[in-house]
Amino acid sequence: MDEPTLSSLPGFSTVQRAALSRGRLLTVSDVLFLSPPDLARKCRIPPQDAHAIVHVVCKALERVPQPLSTAESSETFTTGDAHLDRILGGGIRAGMVWEIVGEGAAGKTQLALQLSLVVQLPRARGGLAGSACYLTTASGLPTTRLVQLLREHPLLAGSAASLDGIHTLETKTIDTLLAALSSVLP
């Protein structure tokens, strides 16, 4: 899927289009992966105008969520935990977004990091020989913990999984997160 250009999106005012041109922003990613303050600086506009531009982009790209039953892929990969794989009916189903929810210190980040690595395993070892996109909202990717997992997890030790197979997107605003989930990632 080709990334939409900003010129193809409806909803921008003439002033907003001029600001985007001034900032030399051409694609959806050019806008959404800048923080609103950085967007404001780059386009030389007030911060509230930058937020308005992000909102227009997100509205133009909005898609209605689809039920799990309509998912195109039934392919699964291991969580790295046999018990959890059984509970989930074989592991994590590929091709969709999973929201991991729980109390503080319940292991949400640990599971997300582990999934980012095990998806890279060859199919014969429960992976998809793929890569992961790790979305962050408040902090960066915890690479120290990932390196520790690579060394110590029984499935990952000595495997081809690496930090190179994890792409990181910083999504500090709700609009940026929603646009990444509905437009950029697909």
Side-chain angles (χ1 to χ4, degrees):
M1 174 179 172
D2 290 329
E3 181 178 8
T5 60
L6 295 172
S7 62
S8 70
L9 299 181
F12 290 115
S13 69
T14 305
V15 172
Q16 288 171 325
R17 289 199 185 278
L20 291 167
S21 178
R22 190 170 44 249
R24 295 190 172 116
L25 303 174
L26 303 174
T27 67
V28 167
S29 292
D30 290 344
V31 170
L32 295 180
F33 297 122
L34 286 173
S35 67
D38 289 342
L39 178 63
R41 275 190 291 282
K42 190 167 180 102
C43 294
R44 295 180 300 233
I45 57 176
Q48 65 269 24
D49 291 355
H51 282 282
I53 286 174
V54 170
H55 182 74
V56 169
V57 170
C58 293
K59 266 316 233 186
L61 299 174
E62 194 171 67
R63 294 187 340 183
V64 177
Q66 300 297 310
L68 182 61
S69 60
T70 64
E72 293 178 18
S73 174
S74 61
E75 196 170 34
T76 61
F77 66 96
T78 183
T79 62
D81 180 283
H83 182 68
L84 186 53
D85 286 348
R86 276 192 303 278
I87 292 169
L88 295 174
I92 296 290
R93 198 166 177 188
M96 60 187 57
V97 174
W98 286 75
E99 181 177 15
I100 301 169
V101 181
E103 293 190 25
K108 299 177 299 290
T109 299
Q110 169 74 16
L111 178 59
L113 294 173
Q114 193 165 299
L115 294 174
S116 297
L117 294 168
V118 295
V119 72
Q120 299 176 49
L121 293 172
R123 292 176 191 280
R125 293 185 62 196
L128 293 178
S131 62
C133 184
Y134 192 94
L135 302 179
T136 64
T137 55
S139 61
L141 185 67
T143 54
T144 304
R145 182 65 184 126
L146 284 164
V147 170
Q148 185 182 19
L149 278 168
L150 283 168
R151 280 194 318 260
E152 297 178 14
H153 192 285
L155 281 175
L156 297 168
S159 73
S162 73
L163 299 183
D164 292 337
I166 304 172
H167 311 281
T168 307
L169 295 177
E170 192 174 88
T171 56
K172 291 191 174 189
T173 67
I174 295 295
D175 282 341
T176 306
L177 175 62
L178 292 174
L181 293 173
S182 66
S183 172
V184 176
L185 290 178

